[in-house]
Amino acid sequence: MGSLSSRVLRRRGVVPRGAGAAGAGGGGKRKRGGAEGPADSDSEAEREERLLNTPRRKKLKSTSKYIYQTLFLNGENSDIKICALGEEWNLHKIYLCQSGYFSSMFSGSWKESSMNVIELEIPDQNIDIEALQVAFGSLYRDDVLIKPSRVVALLAAASMLQLDGLIQQCGETMKETINEKTVCGYYNSAGTYGLDSVKKKCLEWLLNNLMTHQSVELFKELSINLMKQLISSSNLFVMQVEMDVYTALKKWMFLQLVPSWNGSLKQLLTEADAWFAKRRKDLEGDVAFLESEQGSAFLGVFTHLRLQYIISDLASARILERDSLIPSEWLSSVYKQQWFAMLRAEQDNDIGLRLASFDSSGKIICSRTTGYQILTLEKDQEQVVMNLDSRLLIFPLYICCNFLYTSPEKKADSETQPDPGDT
């Protein structure tokens, strides 16, 4: 007997190729050498057999999509109703038990364990209806799309409902989308909802980009505590000189005090200088702005400025005196420190900076000292990159004198005098 397809075709009056004449009257053509036609028929039959038994992949509606559409969106066979923020969801206890929040509610001795309608109290203002919709829906599907613009609200909802998987996905989304517009919001939310890795990532971004990605919006969002943490860190990346840090702080403080200001970044410094000039006229005597009632809140931030590097430049020192933001006692102390350091270097023959290389056993292989040299250069004639207090700074070469360092031999003698490097 032929294949199944051949029999079907014959019943329908259709004769397969190669079977016509032979099937009708035995007069089919023979191959040379006496070979009969059935060999071709068998080959055709095998091909048809393979055709009928080869599976074809067709995309059907997945189980996950069916569950999401039928059970969650349509609410079929719902056994519990959740009410929150004026909205209702017809859900299923077996799916809600994936949430630590509902699992505890249903398995304990709570009165809600036997209720069919539950009214949720939402104490977190970050949670809205859309966030709850996505959070509940995540229990009925194996993936979820998270918009960066909605990630904080969704994180709040996931944290309340104790959805660990969704919390983790929110954290990954936040790490991938940190920029000047999101970093402060992400940092604060990560602290609120316990995402330490996200908080660390935001802090690293700010340390690397605060001085190069300044914006009016970013300065407004940076809290006093966060700015204090940034300025006090030795990992703050400064492109040129410490004076740039002072200027950034002045603009930031102005926006903290006048958050309604909406000018451009180019206008910001001019507006800040004008505003502080007016405040200066209102202060009595020689009181600096940071000593006033308005400025006292920012004292803790400005104390971390490396003033010894700012006053090394005459133009910068004059700006500090003109602005009168910094208390005069701070500046007097720094001037005194720098003066004593310079005298030690010039009169005590300070050996300068000492470099040494050691082998694995701690033995010195090579040792060199820079010595003390007096150089006279025109302004901006030469520049050198130095790492002072672990900040990357670019100074004119004539500023980089050895009086910024204290030699080991003179350290004991200098203990009674303030050292600029300790500030």
Side-chain angles (χ1 to χ4, degrees):
M1 294 179 66
S3 66
L4 176 61
S5 61
S6 300
R7 295 198 301 273
V8 172
L9 291 173
R10 289 193 185 97
R11 289 172 183 170
R12 294 180 178 177
V14 180
V15 181
R17 289 183 182 179
K29 293 184 179 179
R30 295 173 179 265
K31 287 187 177 182
R32 292 181 181 178
E36 298 285 343
D40 287 340
S41 298
D42 291 340
S43 177
E44 185 69 23
E46 290 175 358
R47 285 196 293 270
E48 292 173 354
E49 190 72 22
R50 285 196 299 270
L51 181 64
L52 291 174
N53 289 286
T54 300
R56 294 291 184 268
R57 188 181 300 276
K58 298 295 181 181
K59 190 173 182 180
L60 302 175
K61 190 172 184 180
S62 69
T63 303
S64 177
K65 289 183 178 180
Y66 175 82
I67 291 174
Y68 181 78
Q69 178 66 46
T70 306
L71 300 185
F72 177 65
L73 295 181
N74 298 343
E76 294 186 14
N77 300 320
S78 170
D79 57 1
I80 189 168
K81 179 180 291 185
I82 304 297
C83 304
L85 301 177
E87 189 69 23
E88 296 180 352
W89 287 269
N90 294 313
L91 303 175
H92 307 78
K93 286 186 177 181
I94 193 171
Y95 285 97
L96 288 179
C97 282
Q98 298 174 83
S99 156
Y101 178 87
F102 286 109
S103 178
S104 299
M105 179 186 292
F106 296 150
S107 61
S109 57
W110 304 97
K111 64 178 182 179
E112 289 85 354
S113 61
S114 59
M115 295 172 60
N116 296 326
V117 179
I118 296 178
E119 185 76 33
L120 289 184
E121 294 293 333
I122 308 296
D124 193 336
Q125 294 183 351
N126 287 327
I127 301 176
D128 54 22
I129 294 175
E130 184 180 348
L132 287 176
Q133 175 76 7
V134 177
F136 288 142
S138 69
L139 300 173
Y140 291 79
R141 61 195 313 177
D142 51 12
D143 63 349
V144 60
L145 295 177
I146 301 176
K147 298 178 181 178
S149 61
R150 299 289 308 157
V151 68
V152 173
L154 184 56
L155 174 62
S159 298
M160 174 189 153
L161 300 176
Q162 301 174 32
L163 300 174
D164 294 338
L166 188 56
I167 292 173
Q168 183 178 357
Q169 290 186 44
C170 288
E172 294 302 318
T173 300
M174 294 167 77
K175 290 178 185 178
E176 294 168 0
T177 56
I178 295 175
N179 56 50
E180 61 190 60
K181 294 182 179 180
T182 63
V183 62
C184 290
Y186 285 178
Y187 179 87
N188 295 330
S189 298
T192 300
Y193 302 111
L195 292 181
D196 293 338
S197 61
V198 175
K199 189 175 180 179
K200 180 180 178 181
K201 205 77 173 177
C202 291
L203 189 61
E204 289 176 356
W205 189 95
L206 286 168
L207 289 170
N208 294 335
N209 297 280
L210 176 64
M211 301 303 298
T212 57
H213 287 73
Q214 296 179 16
S215 70
V216 173
E217 293 75 17
L218 178 59
F219 279 149
K220 286 182 179 181
E221 291 188 59
L222 283 170
S223 67
I224 292 177
N225 288 334
L226 180 53
M227 183 60 90
K228 181 179 179 180
Q229 189 174 357
L230 295 173
I231 300 302
S232 65
S233 174
S234 60
N235 293 321
L236 178 64
F237 186 81
V238 181
M239 285 297 295
Q240 294 192 19
V241 294
E242 189 75 8
M243 187 62 183
D244 295 334
V245 182
Y246 169 80
T247 303
L249 285 182
K250 181 166 56 173
K251 293 186 287 187
W252 164 77
M253 182 167 62
F254 165 69
L255 290 174
Q256 294 292 304
L257 294 167
V258 191
S260 60
W261 189 82
N262 289 315
S264 67
L265 185 63
K266 290 184 178 180
Q267 301 170 320
L268 180 55
L269 182 57
T270 302
E271 290 291 326
D273 283 336
W275 192 88
F276 285 118
K278 292 179 181 178
R279 304 286 85 71
R280 189 162 56 247
K281 292 180 180 179
D282 298 335
L283 297 176
E284 298 180 357
D286 296 330
V287 177
F289 181 78
L290 291 177
E291 296 175 309
S292 68
E293 184 177 353
Q294 275 186 309
S296 59
F298 305 94
L299 271 170
V301 179
F302 279 80
T303 55
H304 294 287
L305 278 173
R306 274 68 165 174
L307 292 173
Q308 65 269 31
Y309 303 140
I310 297 178
I311 65 169
S312 298
D313 177 67
L314 179 59
S316 300
R318 285 176 173 170
I319 292 174
L320 289 184
E321 294 289 342
R322 180 205 69 190
D323 290 348
S324 190
L325 300 179
I326 307 295
S328 57
E329 291 80 5
W330 295 10
L331 295 175
S332 299
S333 176
V334 176
Y335 285 133
K336 181 179 179 180
Q337 292 172 27
Q338 294 294 73
W339 178 248
F340 276 109
M342 186 177 69
L343 290 177
R344 285 198 306 271
E346 183 177 2
Q347 298 178 12
D348 296 345
N349 296 320
D350 197 323
I351 65 172
L353 182 64
R354 183 180 181 186
L355 304 175
S357 177
F358 300 85
D359 62 15
S360 58
S361 63
K363 182 179 179 181
I364 293 181
I365 301 174
C366 178
S367 178
R368 294 286 187 276
T369 57
T370 63
Y372 176 73
Q373 297 178 352
I374 297 177
L375 302 177
T376 301
L377 298 172
E378 296 296 329
K379 186 176 181 180
D380 297 331
Q381 182 175 347
E382 295 287 345
Q383 287 189 334
V384 62
V385 177
M386 296 190 66
N387 191 319
L388 300 176
D389 288 349
S390 299
R391 286 190 185 173
L392 182 61
L393 304 170
I394 301 177
F395 282 97
L397 186 58
Y398 65 86
I399 294 179
C400 301
C401 300
N402 287 4
F403 67 80
L404 293 176
Y405 303 91
T406 303
S407 65
E409 289 81 357
K410 303 299 180 182
K411 187 171 183 60
D413 297 335
S414 66
E415 288 179 352
T416 58
Q417 299 291 345
D419 193 309
D422 295 335
T423 302

